[in-house]
Amino acid sequence: MGRKGRTLTAPRSIRPERATHHSLGDDAPAPTTRGSSTRKAVLVPTMVGLVIGTLFVTIFLAAFHTPEPHGLPVGIVGSTSQVEAVEQKLVTNSPGRVAFTHYASVDAAQDAVEHRQVYGAYIVSGDGASTRLLYAGANGPAVTNTLQGIFGTVAQSSQATLGSQDVAPTSSGDTRGLSIFYSGFGLVLAGYLFGLVSSQMAPRLPLRRRLLSLTAFSTASGITVALTAGGTGFNALPGNLAAIMAVMILMAMAVGSATLLIMRVAGPAGTLLASLILLILGNATSGGTLPPAYLPDWLRPLSEILPVGLGVRALQGVSYFGGDGYLRGIVLLTVWALGSVAVLWVLDRAAARRHGGPSTVAAPL
């Protein structure tokens, strides 16, 4: 009887198995959960891609489907009566398209074009029988065609001959003046992808290590693109190589850090938000294809604050226009990069205090 009683009692050693089996059954996902997860995996990428594509097309078409300048800065040299006559013709034929600055001499007007204080200069001779258009080919063919069209009509209506002179031509490696835009676009895309992949692959990476990664990426990509586009590569950017490298490194760092911040703050919506701000709006307002004067009023202010526009103008200034926009670009791109990192640091400290653990900012390398 004693032996039989022992066989009826379950051994203690198998009880944990019963408990384990029970917990596995409890943790198994319900069919409805799996179905919901599948629907989410199908719908979310579809919607994100659709929204980003639609925004890209809508904003770029809004900006460039019929581009016309609004108050494009142009210099003029001539007597008071000649200037008034030209302005009157422009009010009739091209209202609001250019904004004149009167210069006392041809040299002053040419210097203004070469430093991009104005995009062109219209010179009227003393007797009014001949005129000359000074322009900068580095501003791109669209600007050149606009100026030639406007002032060709003005000269014709005055029965005057019109000559033209390119005082800031593009380099031999950039005949269309678009290489700066493409270089900037490539860096911005790389910075966005860096921030996106870094956030998704290592969401809990200590900030020090993430900054090390950001610095390595920005330095390597900025130097590589500068060498590729500059005099050592395609000769598309003829400016000082060190200055070009500085701008490109800061562009990559500004966009990369801003993407990291947006992903941190916005969570799953960060992918869409970062692409809208940094890629779509940034490149549409960069001034790489057309100057900001060609943009609609609601887009124009963004060219002065987003990293792409700041970097593109600085690169154009270093390469062709006597440093126009360089210092401002360096300062504001640094503000973008350091400001984004500072906010990330604050968020990390706040998260550490909430969870009662050590701050990831202080984690060792």
Side-chain angles (χ1 to χ4, degrees):
M1 288 294 291
R3 184 176 182 181
K4 184 177 180 181
R6 285 195 299 271
T7 59
L8 291 175
T9 302
R12 292 178 180 272
S13 59
I14 68 172
R15 288 179 182 176
E17 291 184 10
R18 293 177 61 190
T20 301
H21 176 74
H22 179 73
S23 64
L24 288 174
D26 289 345
D27 293 340
T32 55
T33 303
R34 289 197 297 269
S36 176
S37 178
T38 300
R39 287 193 296 272
K40 183 177 180 181
V42 172
L43 291 176
V44 170
T46 301
M47 294 305 299
V48 169
L50 176 62
V51 172
I52 290 176
T54 302
L55 287 173
F56 185 94
V57 172
T58 301
I59 290 175
F60 269 79
L61 287 181
F64 302 122
H65 72 291
T66 55
E68 286 191 355
H70 308 279
L72 185 71
V74 176
I76 187 169
V77 177
S79 66
T80 302
S81 60
Q82 289 171 335
V83 170
E84 291 175 352
V86 171
E87 289 180 338
Q88 185 59 47
K89 289 182 174 64
L90 289 175
V91 169
T92 303
N93 300 324
S94 304
R97 298 181 70 187
V98 300
F100 272 132
T101 299
H102 191 188
Y103 291 96
S105 67
V106 175
D107 290 342
Q110 180 169 332
D111 184 73
V113 176
E114 291 173 346
H115 289 80
R116 202 163 48 179
Q117 296 169 5
V118 292
Y119 284 85
Y122 187 63
I123 315 299
V124 184
S125 64
D127 59 6
S130 64
T131 60
R132 184 157 52 110
L133 176 65
L134 307 181
Y135 67 94
N139 285 318
V143 177
T144 301
N145 292 337
T146 295
L147 293 174
Q148 289 177 340
I150 290 174
F151 292 105
T153 301
V154 171
Q156 185 178 14
S157 66
S158 303
Q159 297 183 338
T161 60
L162 176 66
S164 60
Q165 179 184 355
D166 188 351
V167 299
T170 57
S171 68
S172 59
D174 185 25
T175 57
R176 300 294 291 174
L178 296 174
S179 295
I180 290 176
F181 170 74
Y182 292 128
S183 298
F185 179 83
L187 275 175
V188 170
L189 178 61
Y192 165 77
L193 291 175
F194 167 84
L196 181 66
V197 174
S198 178
S199 297
Q200 292 180 342
M201 290 190 65
R204 298 183 182 276
L205 186 68
L207 185 57
R208 284 188 178 182
R209 296 185 181 182
R210 202 180 296 283
L211 290 181
L212 179 63
S213 176
L214 174 64
T215 302
F217 154 74
S218 302
T219 303
S221 59
I223 291 175
T224 300
V225 174
L227 291 174
T228 302
T232 57
F234 290 99
N235 194 32
L237 277 68
N240 179 272
L241 183 59
I244 290 172
M245 284 182 180
V247 174
M248 290 189 166
I249 289 171
L250 285 173
M251 282 182 71
M253 187 172 291
V255 175
S257 60
T259 303
L260 288 170
L261 176 59
I262 293 172
M263 295 294 295
R264 173 68 179 274
V265 172
T271 301
L272 177 61
L273 189 59
S275 64
L276 171 61
I277 296 173
L278 300 171
L279 289 181
I280 299 175
L281 289 172
N283 285 293
T285 61
S286 68
T289 54
L290 286 170
Y294 285 77
L295 293 172
D297 292 340
W298 62 277
L299 281 176
R300 199 176 307 171
L302 297 179
S303 65
E304 301 291 332
I305 57 175
L306 292 180
V308 198
L310 295 170
V312 165
R313 177 152 191 165
L315 290 172
Q316 290 172 336
V318 168
S319 298
Y320 298 111
F321 297 108
D324 169 62
Y326 178 74
L327 182 59
R328 184 173 187 273
I330 289 290
V331 170
L332 292 184
L333 287 172
T334 302
V335 170
W336 268 95
L338 295 183
S340 297
V341 169
V343 176
L344 285 170
W345 180 83
V346 170
L347 293 175
D348 271 8
R349 292 293 297 269
R353 285 195 296 269
R354 284 197 305 270
H355 294 91
S359 171
T360 56
V361 178
L365 293 175

